[in-house]
Amino acid sequence: MSKTSRLAIDVGGTFTDVVELIPGTGELRFDKVPTTPDAPTRGVMNAFAVAQAPMADIGMFTHGTTLGLNALLTRTGARTAVIGTNGFRDVYLLGRTDRRTNYDITYRKPAALLERYDTYEVVERSRFDGTVHTPLDLEDARRVAALVAERGYRSVAVAFLHSYANPAHELRMREVLAEVAPQVAVTLSHELSREYREYERTSTAVLDAYVKPIVRQYLHTLEGELAAGGFDGRFLMTRSGGGAMTAAAAREQPVSLILSGPAGGVIGAAALSRILGRPNLITIDMGGTSLDASLILDGEPVLYQGAEFEQLPINTPSLYIHTIGAGGGSIAWLDEAGGLQVGPQSAGAAPGPASYGRGGTAPTFTDAALALGYLGGETPLGGRLTLDAELADKALQPIATALDMSIKALARGVIRISNTKITGAVRAITVELGRDPKDFALLSFGGGGGLVAVDVARELGIPTVVVPPGQGAFSAFGMLMADVQYDFARTSVSPLAGLDPAAVDSSYREMEREAEALLAAEGFGAERRTLVRSLDVRYSGQEHSVTVSFPAGTGDMAGAVEASFARLHERQYGHTMDDPIEVTTLRLRAAGSVDKPALPLIAERTAGDLRPEGTRAVYLSDDRPEVRYDLHTRESLLAGDVIQGPAVIAEHTATTVLHAGDTLRVGPYGEMVISVAPVSKEFNR
């Protein structure tokens, strides 16, 4: 077997998804193994073990992990200090003075990652234009570095005032720390963000420093185990902005991994939208712990210049993804008023839903789906895990008794509550932003997406649901599509009308030289490098900007930018103004192109009729307790097959449900396209 074998492994809260590209045939193999939270690398190595190719024959491995995110969620990151400019010690802890919830007297600002005694200041100061106001006091710098070493910090973030314009003092501070506190991991704010806004840049640096020792240790351990197994190919990690980065780069800038968990699915969705000719998609990725909703517009994912984690800014480009606590492991519970709730608490991978038979006793969405009849014990999850209906019923029974309901009626309630929450997540990224869901198709994936997609689409009036091949491991498939990516930015606040084209071009060329050097060092030849210029533009006096493409080959740069800005502002905000326009930031996205798999065409049915392999009795209501749903196995479907609902489509990594009136057609790539019937009072009663 040649070195063209490729593997993508996406570590989720419950399962670790695996996609393998088989060389020669172009076949894609989808699989799942349990996630191992107690030993993260063990789950990854177990995923390698289910691949056909030996580790030595895999030429590229792309990996997605929530390790950094989990450290933030559980506040188990490294003990971190932050060093700022003298007089600006409290930039990080003060943050912004806006209040997100105006009328909630119980609101409390989310806790910071460090305390005031973890903040230090050094005598130095640069101005906004990069000139030096106060030189770096080396004696003071060594004093602070000694304190950092003495007090046992594992990591330190250095964020000096206006270092985006002149990073010399930050670079010198790193040298001092290397001399005085060599055991401490160092993050420099300008290496993550060359943009103004001191708090956002400082917050980004603190987040990076907080997870850096943990991510470094994880990657060091994993790389050692991979090498011991014979792997010597290219090792990539997915990043929050929708591309990939080398493992070496991830060790230095782990903040780019924090929101990368769902990125693979969005990358794959964008690629699939172009393959299928469906440029506008709403995506829902329902895993074991959470559901991630996003948009594909004109065949491209929506990218935001900046993101947040629990109201802590991350000043790096990120895909626009809305996440809620609604997954297969979401726990059903009763609130103080005795009302039924589902999530956001999750049973996770250990012990998992009760029906997994691993010691879990809390009732979950998966247990409810099994009790209803959507899932069945005859189709093991991932080909290995057989669900236990008795354990599911046992877990649901206490709440059913408390509510004076049957187990199946309670299970229906759990599913409907989850559907309502997911519908709300889709509304948040469409209706609440002025977009009509009816203008999109719904692309569902993840282990649980197919169980809820048709109901969510029907509620929102979305006419079509698309279920991709290998839906349960689709995020890992998207990772195979991810190019190596770097983002560069330079703050340049100035009126558009007075912009100096020569100065702008000089700034872009500086970023391009840096990008070319990085991509060349990582083995990408000139023919595989792509550099794309863009800039942030706003009306004078506005707080937020719109990112527009930089016009190439035009003599009237300002006029072209103004026209593009007007179109985008109208599209995003519904109006334009006559106010002066100003540029805030110059941006460059650099990509190193990797070979991407082509989805193989599947065979068409030339003889015989498609027949169900059995039925499942699905509970819809007390007066329709056992409605017969035809049962099909997805692996037996061929291009052109048509299935009329009600039906259940079981596959190796997931299950899809369609109801009476819905029609499923199998496309040429094995995608299932479901025409959703309008809302039925009969079904919803």
Side-chain angles (χ1 to χ4, degrees):
M1 190 172 288
S2 70
K3 279 281 189 179
T4 56
S5 294
R6 291 181 57 189
L7 197 69
I9 297 176
D10 179 26
V11 179
T14 304
F15 284 103
T16 293
D17 300 331
V18 188
V19 175
E20 181 181 12
L21 174 64
I22 307 298
T25 65
E27 176 192 357
L28 293 168
R29 289 186 64 254
F30 298 89
D31 213 329
K32 283 179 177 287
V33 297
T35 294
T36 54
D38 57 323
T41 60
R42 187 172 75 241
V44 176
M45 300 309 292
N46 290 343
F48 266 92
V50 302
Q52 282 188 359
M55 291 178 65
D57 290 333
I58 295 173
M60 183 180 295
F61 163 45
T62 308
H63 181 31
T65 179
T66 57
L67 187 73
L69 177 62
N70 292 340
L72 291 169
L73 288 169
T74 57
R75 293 298 197 267
T76 54
R79 186 172 180 228
T80 301
V82 60
I83 302 174
T85 298
N86 186 48
F88 293 84
R89 175 182 178 184
D90 295 312
V91 163
Y92 175 68
L93 292 177
L94 286 176
R96 296 295 176 193
T97 57
D98 60 328
R99 184 181 174 91
R100 302 296 177 88
T101 308
N102 290 326
Y103 303 107
D104 182 1
I105 61 173
T106 67
Y107 171 79
R108 295 293 182 271
K109 186 177 179 180
L113 298 177
L114 46 81
E115 303 294 338
R116 192 169 191 270
Y117 54 70
D118 299 317
T119 63
Y120 301 87
E121 52 191 6
V122 170
V123 174
E124 70 83 40
R125 183 154 181 184
S126 297
R127 300 185 180 92
F128 75 96
D129 60 358
T131 58
V132 175
H133 178 275
T134 304
L136 177 67
D137 186 328
L138 289 177
E139 182 177 342
D140 196 34
R142 291 190 177 93
R143 176 188 64 81
V144 170
L147 288 174
V148 168
E150 176 186 314
R151 295 178 181 178
Y153 292 100
R154 292 181 62 198
S155 196
V156 60
V158 181
F160 288 154
L161 198 66
H162 299 304
S163 64
Y164 63 88
N166 182 355
H169 289 175
E170 284 193 355
L171 292 168
R172 187 68 181 96
M173 187 70 214
R174 176 161 60 192
E175 294 174 358
V176 171
L177 285 163
E179 296 169 6
V180 180
Q183 75 283 4
V184 179
V186 179
T187 291
L188 304 184
S189 71
H190 81 273
E191 292 183 338
L192 303 174
S193 173
R194 293 292 295 270
E195 300 180 48
Y196 70 155
R197 301 184 189 278
E198 302 309 318
Y199 167 58
E200 284 76 6
R201 185 162 48 81
T202 303
S203 172
T204 304
V206 170
L207 285 161
D208 185 85
Y210 188 74
V211 301
K212 183 172 283 183
I214 294 171
V215 172
R216 280 183 171 178
Q217 181 59 49
Y218 170 76
L219 291 176
H220 175 76
T221 302
L222 180 57
E223 286 174 318
E225 294 181 13
L226 292 173
F231 174 77
D232 63 355
R234 175 175 280 173
F235 179 10
L236 301 178
M237 305 283 292
T238 53
R239 56 185 296 161
S240 306
M245 62 198 307
T246 63
R251 281 195 295 271
E252 298 306 315
Q253 297 187 3
V255 71
S256 297
L257 306 177
I258 289 174
L259 301 179
S260 68
V266 180
I267 299 167
L272 188 67
S273 77
R274 295 188 288 269
I275 293 170
L276 301 183
R278 293 182 178 272
N280 297 319
L281 296 173
I282 298 167
T283 73
I284 56 170
D285 175 5
M286 186 175 183
T289 304
S290 62
L291 178 133
D292 304 302
S294 191
L295 290 179
I296 304 298
L297 297 175
D298 299 327
E300 296 293 337
V302 177
L303 191 69
Y304 274 29
Q305 303 298 343
E308 284 188 348
F309 169 79
E310 293 185 353
Q311 298 184 25
L312 300 175
I314 306 175
N315 205 25
T316 59
S318 299
L319 295 175
Y320 178 53
I321 298 172
H322 183 65
T323 300
I324 62 170
S330 293
I331 294 173
W333 54 284
L334 297 179
D335 60 23
E336 294 179 355
L340 179 63
Q341 304 289 338
V342 183
Q345 307 95 324
S346 173
S355 54
Y356 283 10
R358 296 175 176 167
T361 58
T364 66
F365 175 94
T366 296
D367 299 317
L370 179 60
L372 280 186
Y374 284 177
L375 300 175
E378 76 279 6
T379 308
L381 295 181
R384 300 174 183 84
L385 179 61
T386 300
L387 300 180
D388 189 321
E390 290 186 7
L391 290 176
D393 288 351
K394 183 178 179 180
L396 291 163
Q397 185 64 66
I399 295 180
T401 300
L403 296 177
D404 193 23
M405 301 173 70
S406 69
I407 289 175
K408 292 186 183 296
L410 171 65
R412 169 60 64 192
V414 169
I415 299 300
R416 293 188 69 173
I417 288 172
S418 297
N419 287 345
T420 299
K421 292 177 66 176
I422 296 165
T423 300
V426 174
R427 285 184 184 277
I429 64 171
T430 54
V431 176
E432 294 178 15
L433 298 179
R435 297 186 175 97
D436 189 344
K438 298 181 181 68
D439 296 334
F440 296 78
L442 180 66
L443 180 72
S444 75
F445 50 94
L451 299 173
V452 302
V454 167
D455 289 335
V456 171
R458 195 182 337 269
E459 180 66 26
L460 292 168
I462 299 172
T464 305
V465 170
V466 180
V467 183
Q471 60 166 320
F474 187 73
S475 288
F477 164 77
M479 293 177 185
L480 295 178
M481 299 287 189
D483 291 328
V484 172
Q485 175 185 297
Y486 290 98
D487 293 288
F488 303 86
R490 296 290 187 272
T491 288
S492 178
V493 181
S494 57
L496 176 62
L499 209 60
D500 181 358
V504 169
D505 189 63
S506 176
S507 294
Y508 275 122
R509 290 187 181 279
E510 177 189 344
M511 290 187 281
E512 286 168 348
R513 284 192 295 271
E514 186 177 350
E516 295 273 12
L518 280 171
L519 292 174
E522 292 177 0
F524 291 99
E527 73 284 356
R528 287 188 172 269
R529 303 175 204 158
T530 303
L531 307 179
V532 179
R533 297 178 175 185
S534 62
L535 62 169
D536 290 357
V537 188
R538 67 185 181 189
Y539 288 115
S540 181
Q542 280 188 327
E543 171 69 11
H544 301 291
S545 303
V546 172
T547 301
V548 304
S549 297
F550 184 83
T554 175
D556 184 10
M557 181 187 70
V561 169
E562 183 175 358
S564 295
F565 172 66
R567 286 193 300 271
L568 283 172
H569 199 280
E570 175 75 31
R571 178 176 175 177
Q572 293 189 20
Y573 301 108
H575 70 281
T576 58
M577 300 188 296
D578 295 326
D579 292 28
I581 297 172
E582 64 182 11
V583 173
T584 61
T585 307
L586 307 180
R587 299 190 182 278
L588 179 78
R589 168 156 288 192
S593 177
V594 302
D595 292 328
K596 299 174 179 59
L599 273 180
L601 295 170
I602 67 170
E604 296 184 6
R605 190 173 301 280
T606 57
D609 297 325
L610 174 65
R611 296 184 182 277
E613 299 173 19
T615 61
R616 279 187 183 166
V618 175
Y619 174 91
L620 296 182
S621 62
D622 283 342
D623 57 349
R624 291 178 295 165
E626 292 189 353
V627 177
R628 295 294 167 181
Y629 277 50
D630 288 341
L631 176 63
H632 296 267
T633 301
R634 185 171 187 179
E635 287 78 7
S636 67
L637 301 182
L638 300 176
D641 283 347
V642 177
I643 298 173
Q644 299 292 339
V648 174
I649 318 299
E651 59 184 288
H652 187 59
T653 59
T655 297
T656 302
V657 176
L658 55 151
H659 305 292
D662 302 327
T663 302
L664 181 152
R665 291 177 174 80
V666 181
Y669 298 99
E671 76 278 11
M672 299 190 301
V673 181
I674 303 172
S675 298
V676 180
V679 174
S680 168
K681 293 181 180 179
E682 176 69 13
F683 178 76
N684 286 299
R685 64 180 175 160

